[in-house]
Amino acid sequence: QVQLVESGGGLVQAGGSLRLSCAASGRTFSTYAMAWFHQAPGKEREFVAAISWSGAATYYADSVKGRFTISRDNAKNTVYLQMNSLKPEDTAVYYCAAVRLSGPYYFRIDPREYAYWGQGTQVTVSS
């Protein structure tokens, strides 16, 4: 099993930056593809970014492409989401998620395919 704990959320003005971190427990972190999702009040949970276990493959939602960067450090059991040029519409609770996938280039973008979730961290972008 994997336990995930997000951190790094907060209040920022539009145009600002934040870096979210997701720390994972367990010795098999490097076998899990990871992703970030977000959920705004009254809306469904939406895909933001994903990364394969090797870090060789990444994928982004169109709404964040060019502004957000997902990365991971398998030695530290941590995945990151660098968020730049933040917009008020980025306001949401951000969750990291993990799924065990064998291929070094594999990831998933459907939240239903992720087995493990963190508790979420709030990101608020003021205009």
Side-chain angles (χ1 to χ4, degrees), residues 7-29:
S7 61
L11 173 64
V12 63
Q13 287 189 330
S17 298
L18 284 174
R19 188 175 84 152
L20 306 183
S21 299
C22 174
S25 64
R27 291 175 291 179
T28 59
F29 174 73

Side-chain angles (χ1 to χ4, degrees), residues 5-71:
V5 179
E6 302 98 334
S7 61
L11 173 64
V12 63
Q13 287 189 330
S17 298
L18 284 174
R19 188 175 84 152
L20 306 183
S21 299
C22 174
S25 64
R27 291 175 291 179
T28 59
F29 174 73
S30 60
T31 63
Y32 286 82
M34 303 293 295
W36 289 94
F37 294 83
H38 69 196
Q39 187 167 19
K43 294 190 176 181
E44 292 187 352
R45 194 164 296 189
E46 295 180 340
F47 170 77
V48 175
I51 188 167
S52 62
W53 70 255
S54 67
T58 58
Y59 188 77
Y60 298 91
D62 287 343
S63 60
V64 306
K65 217 171 276 185
R67 299 189 298 124
F68 291 10
T69 302
I70 188 170
S71 62

Side-chain angles (χ1 to χ4, degrees), residues 1-5 22-34 72 77-79 96-101 114-119:
Q1 284 199 347
V2 176
Q3 292 185 322
L4 306 173
V5 179
C22 174
S25 64
R27 291 175 291 179
T28 59
F29 174 73
S30 60
T31 63
Y32 286 82
M34 303 293 295
R72 66 189 296 158
N77 281 14
T78 302
V79 64
C96 68
V99 60
R100 197 163 191 176
L101 294 174
Y114 280 83
Y116 303 100
W117 292 85
Q119 83 291 346

